Amino acid sequence: MRLDHFAAEGSTVRVWGDTDVVLISVPLPGVLRLRLAPEARAGTYTFPKLPPKPSFALRPDAAAPEAVQVREAGAELVIQGGGLTCLLNRETGAWMVLDGDPQTGRVLAQAALWSGEVPNARDALDAEVFDLQRTRLTLDAPHGSAYLGFGERVGPIDKRGMHLTFWNTDCFPHHTDTDPLYVSVPFTTVVDTAGLAHGVFVDEPWRMEADVARRRPDALTFASAGPELDVYVLAGPRPADVLRRYADLTGYAPLPPLWALGAAQSRWGYKTADELRAIVAGYRERDLPLDALYVDIDYMDAYKVWTVDRHRFPDMKALVGEMLEQGVHLVPIVDPGVKAEPGYDVYDEALAGDHLVRTARGDVLVGEVWPDPAVFPDFTRPEVVAWWGSRHKLFAELGISGQWNDMNEPACFSLKQPRVTEGKTLPYDARHGNRPHIEVHNAYANGMSEASRAGYTQFSPHLRPWILTRAGYAGIQRHATVWTGDNTATWSHLALSLPMIGGLGLSGIPYAAADVAGFAGDTTGELMARWYQVAVGYPFLRNHAASGTADQEPWRFGEPFLNAIRTALHLRMQLLPHLYTLAHEATRSALPVMRPLVLHHAADPDALREDTQYLLGEGLLVAPVLRAAHTRRLVYLPAGSEWAEVFNLAEFGPVHAGGTYTVADAPLTVLPLYLKAGHAVPYTDAAPHTTAAQWPRLSWLAFAGADGFVGQLYEDAGSGPADAPSRLTRIVGEREGQSLTIRRESRGDLQGFEQRETLHLIGLKSVQSVQGAASHNYADGLLRLSLPAAWTEIRIEEGESGE
Ligand code: MIG
């Protein structure tokens, strides 16, 4: 590939030859973009100019790009900006991106090859012979590097050795080797053997595949059905830096309401208002916390979206209010398929407004989903997003602020105008305005969920929306969070949920979760109990089951399982101050609530690929039991600091050195938790449901390391607009010789403090005196402090003569 010409045009460098074009720019510091357009002459009338390229992934409020410089050095062009360098060979087209300057910079990504095919004139006309791999990019995959993320995937946390397809698919049920699934995010964080990270994001919603060092162990290959490959290389050096840069590019997730983090119950098969009332009563009479009920498709009249069946739900508004009084939020499901029925206002409006997906021949495309026949709003067009958003008025007026968007791959069971499809969805050549379905399929759910968020924000500005989606493309985190779809009630799916949610977190989606106890198939009491324990740290916690499966509300299997589930749910409620703080942190840092160990221990090879455990923040490690009839498990404690057992958040247990394996004893009611030296974690008392994200009773578990410790707490009303009064509190313990000084620093405009605050502290060899606490007690290495209201400083002297 020869690229003879180049020109600097504003903040972009254009390089081109007889047939190929590449545009290089630096949208953010540490992020370099190469828009690769091989064989562009054949497909682009304006060659060597490229038409503007809209993106579903990029945040709309992007900053101005960085300035770039370009110079020639032999056959190479040297392009620099934002701290990065791109070297592009004009004789071969090979390029590399370095962090820093050409002499000393670290090589991030290196491409020997990128190529395209001259589009066949038939392609555009006959999608059944559409070449599914029109453009290709091959990047070096150095031996030993780990490949994280790629959206929603089965398999281990490191995707090396997998061949992945980006094509959102409704698969009921999915299995531990199913690919693709519902969510496509062509973004990976690469971690080398020294623990240094960089990112690669290919912003193409087109059908794509990625071969992650499977066919060739030394190559990561992207192949797209589209004419271009829009590549972003993101600098590290830590995985957390890559994730933050990805969110700077594609957006941060908005803060969820606190109630969405509480316990939720769902079932496909709850059919009437009275059934829902009975479920709430079942929770309340057994002292089981409950914050939300998800309401599946049977509330609708004949599966007509934006309707409510009047017989089964005679007064939805009253029901929503009645539930809210009991601390329970109703979250209805919404499907995109609109019943094609003249006289049904949603259909009539969609038709009149030209909002629908069409066939290649230009007719409205008609398929079958739950409504039959069904038509599909074209959420890839802004005017359709606006129209769908306006439809949320109905639910907002009922007092609803949470919504569950399903089937938005989009799923389509059959077509009335049959064409070849890939999976149960729309045909490749269906039309979205003038774009073929194969180009925008993966982004269909983004527009649908954007509409939901915008709708609730418009009609209920005093509430904070909670939007769940099954499908999505890069950037979906700005609009909604993801649940992992139709999993199965098996132990292998329980274990799979950790790398799956972890992988979504590493793909910029910080609040993803899996259905507790499995959607398909009958669960068992033991699997339920262990699944609830695993889910204590899921970003949200929803029990959901398929129609026809055995009942799986927490009490259905009796004792000892009910007690174990109650213990896990109470643990969840206790941890909400910490989880909500992490949720808030995600809105600033993009670090997920449930963190794979690699996020904080990338240079520790045992931690890097450990995906049977997870971290809640940097300081709390969760090592749940994932196997039937096991009451012990092996736990890896990452190197670099000590870890103290805090099983079930109860008493401190033994302290273990990092970089070691230990065996956790975990009978049915026990969740093994470990607190890292140097960290403090806030928690509260269990409650039947959440209220405000302010904690009349607050406790801290703290482990003073050699440098003391830090802990954080974010508080606000728990709902309402994100700019309402809030407070971020840091408690910092600093050592100086024999003394430890603990300070509390709060920032923000939220008034009022905890009414009862205690600190449980380990890590001190002895205690001679304590100043500033209301009372204290030191025994067996554990110091308990009762803290006065509005405290700001505690001083502890270590020394031999304890009191
Ligand atoms: O064709 O609404 O993944 O959570 O319960 C199945 C019924 C449609 C699939 C979702 C599942 C939901 C179910 N839906």
Side-chain angles (χ1 to χ4, degrees), residues 597 613-616 619-623 635-638 643 672-674:
L597 274 52
Q613 307 169 191
Y614 61 89
L615 292 165
L616 291 176
L620 193 64
L621 183 142
V622 184
V635 179
Y636 180 67
L637 298 170
W643 299 84
L673 297 167
Y674 299 83

Side-chain angles (χ1 to χ4, degrees), residues 152-230:
E152 186 180 50
R153 302 290 169 186
V154 297
I157 199 89
D158 175 7
K159 306 303 180 203
R160 176 180 276 271
M162 293 176 71
H163 186 97
L164 308 171
T165 299
F166 299 88
W167 185 253
N168 293 351
T169 301
D170 171 19
C171 32
F172 170 77
H174 63 259
H175 297 287
T176 50
D177 58 358
T178 305
D179 188 88
L181 295 171
Y182 316 88
V183 175
S184 293
V185 183
F187 163 52
T188 182
T189 296
V190 187
V191 183
D192 71 16
T193 48
L196 298 174
H198 73 272
V200 177
F201 169 44
V202 182
D203 186 12
E204 296 293 341
W206 285 86
R207 186 194 187 283
M208 280 209 296
E209 291 176 42
D211 192 86
V212 192
R214 183 186 181 97
R215 293 186 186 156
R216 272 183 52 191
D218 59 347
L220 165 65
T221 303
F222 289 93
S224 171
E228 297 188 8
L229 286 157
D230 198 356

Side-chain angles (χ1 to χ4, degrees), residues 170 172 182 266-268 296-297 333 335 369-370 404 406-407 413 470 483 485-486 515 519 542 544-547:
D170 171 19
F172 170 77
Y182 316 88
S266 182
R267 157 169 285 283
W268 177 12
D296 212 321
I297 47 177
I333 200 168
D335 290 351
V369 206
W370 292 102
W404 169 22
D406 189 20
M407 307 296 272
F413 302 150
R470 191 168 70 177
W483 97 99
D486 296 344
D515 285 345
F519 175 72
R542 180 178 80 147
H544 181 47
S547 164

Side-chain angles (χ1 to χ4, degrees), residues 463-483:
L463 299 174
R464 199 182 297 166
W466 169 246
I467 314 294
L468 199 57
T469 181
R470 191 168 70 177
Y473 173 67
I476 187 66
Q477 73 273 7
R478 298 198 306 274
H479 315 303
T481 196
V482 167
W483 97 99

Side-chain angles (χ1 to χ4, degrees), residues 684-722:
T684 187
D685 294 348
H689 57 83
T690 62
T691 46
Q694 293 155 46
W695 317 97
R697 286 160 182 252
L698 188 77
S699 301
W700 297 88
L701 283 173
F703 185 173
D707 299 324
F709 65 87
V710 295
Q712 280 211 66
L713 177 68
Y714 175 78
E715 296 166 283
D716 67 6
S719 183

